[in-house]
Amino acid sequence: MRPAPAPIPGEQAIPSALADPIASRPLGEIASEAVHPQAEAVIVVSDNTRPVPYRGKGGLMRHIIQTLLDAGWLEQQIVVLIGAGSHRNMVGQEVEEMLGLQESGFASVRIENHEYDREDHLLYVGETKRGSLVKINKRYMDADLKIVTGLVESHFMAGASGGRKGICPGIVGKETLSIFHGAKLLNSSQAADLILEGNPLHDEALEVALMAGCDFLVNATIDEERRLNGVFAGDLTAAHKEAVQFIRNYVTVDLDHRYDIVVIPGGYVGINHYQVGKAAVEAAKAVKAGGWIIISAQNTDVDPVGGTGYKQAMALFRQHGREAFMEMIAAPDWSMIPEQWQVQMWCKVLRVIEEEDHLIYCALEIPRQDYANLPGQVGLDLLTQSEHDSLSKEQRMALMQERAIAHAWAQLGNPQARILYLKDGPYGIPHIKGE
C-alpha cells in the first residue's frame, strides 16, 4: 500500500474527536441530556476478527466510557454489546483481551453478545425499500443512548467496514442478514472494495442503520502495523464518509499488469478459513485468468475452519460444484444458509483462476481431515511426516510456502512467468492500471 498517515496518540486524539465531532454535538453533551435514573446506554463494538484499538489508555473504550461517567452515567447503566453478526459468541478472557474493561477500572460495565438467531433478543422495526425484514437487537433499540464503534478499512463486499456496518450486519436478525448477505446483492459488480455509491450492500446497510438510529458514531482507522492513525466521531453517515475517504488515499495498490502467481497472507482478520476468503478476493484482482493463488494463513480461532453454516455451505459446494452451487443459492425459493456468502466469494475467486487446484492454502492449524470440503490444494501435503514432526512452526510455514510457489512455477512451465507478493494481505486493494 502507499505510506499510511502517521500514527497518532489515542490519549489525545480520541477525547478530542469526542468533544469536537463531525456533523454532531459533542458526545458529552448528548450523553448529559439522555441520562436519568433508569436510563441505559448501549455501546456496540466489533468482535475480535477486527483489530479495533479498543483497549488501553490510547484505546476507544476508556475514553467513551469515561465521557459517559463524566456526563452523569453510572457504570451499571452502560452495556457493551458485541455486534458480531452471525459470528460465534465471544467468551471469558478473549473479551477482556479485546476491550480491557477490567484493566481500565470499569468492572461494573456489562458485556453482552448479540445473537442474531435469538428471536427474544430482537425487535421488528419495519422493512427496507428492497423488502428486507428488519429486526434489530432489542437492547440496542430500547437504549436511551446508542453509540456505535468500529474500524474503517476496505471491505470486499460492502465497500468499507465501519459506520452503518456496526448495526447491519452487526446487530441484526437472521432475516435481515438473508437479504444483506444474499446472493443477489453480492452478484452486483458494485459490491466491491472502496465503492459506496451504487453499492447495494452499502445502501441496504445504511437504510437499516438509519431505521435503528444511532446517537453517536466512533470509528477508528489504523496503519499497516495496526497503530491508530485516525479517529472519526460524530454523525453516523458524515463521520463514516470522511473515514472512507481517508483510507482511500493509501490502501490502493497500483499495478501495471496481472501476474501468473499471486502470493498473499491471510492477515489479522484471517483467524479462520471463512475470514481468509477476503484475502483470496484481493488476490483474484491481481492474478491472470488461469493463474495461481497461494495463501498463507494463521488460523487461530477456536474453530480454524469457521462456523456451522460456512461448513454446511462448503459441503454443498463440494457436492454440487461451483456453478451449480451459485445457481442454487440464487434461486428464488432458496433458504439462505448463514455464511454461505463467503462460499460464494470463494466461487468468484475460482472462476478467475479457472482450475480449483490453482489455489494452494498454506496453514498449520486446520486438521488435514477438515479440508475435505474446502477448495484448492492443501499446503500440508507439501510437507513430509518427518518435517511435520521435526521442524518448528516457522520452518514448516516457510517450507510449505516455498514448495507451493515452486509447484505453481513448475506447472506453469513458463520461464517468463511473474510472481506478485501482496504483503498487505486483504487490506491492500489491487488496482490494475487501465481496468
Side-chain angles (χ1 to χ4, degrees), residues 147-193:
I147 300 171
V148 176
T149 72
L151 181 73
V152 178
E153 56 190 5
S154 59
H155 190 278
F156 69 138
M157 296 185 294
S161 63
R164 70 284 184 246
K165 279 191 90 255
I167 297 173
C168 179
I171 56 170
V172 300
K174 59 183 179 181
E175 292 93 348
T176 312
L177 275 173
S178 70
I179 301 295
F180 178 73
H181 278 148
K184 184 177 180 180
L185 295 190
L186 293 185
N187 277 335
S188 169
S189 61
Q190 295 296 97
D193 295 282

Side-chain angles (χ1 to χ4, degrees), residues 104-159:
S104 294
F106 303 132
S108 298
V109 172
R110 289 169 287 162
I111 301 172
E112 291 186 5
N113 285 285
H114 167 69
E115 297 182 74
Y116 76 109
D117 54 354
R118 285 279 302 272
E119 287 296 321
D120 57 328
H121 285 198
L122 302 169
L123 185 69
Y124 171 74
V125 296
E127 292 187 7
T128 67
K129 296 173 185 175
R130 284 187 172 85
S132 298
L133 184 69
V134 180
K135 292 183 180 180
I136 308 287
N137 182 278
K138 189 175 187 300
R139 185 174 291 281
Y140 179 83
M141 292 303 301
D142 290 343
D144 299 272
L145 179 62
K146 302 172 182 176
I147 300 171
V148 176
T149 72
L151 181 73
V152 178
E153 56 190 5
S154 59
H155 190 278
F156 69 138
M157 296 185 294

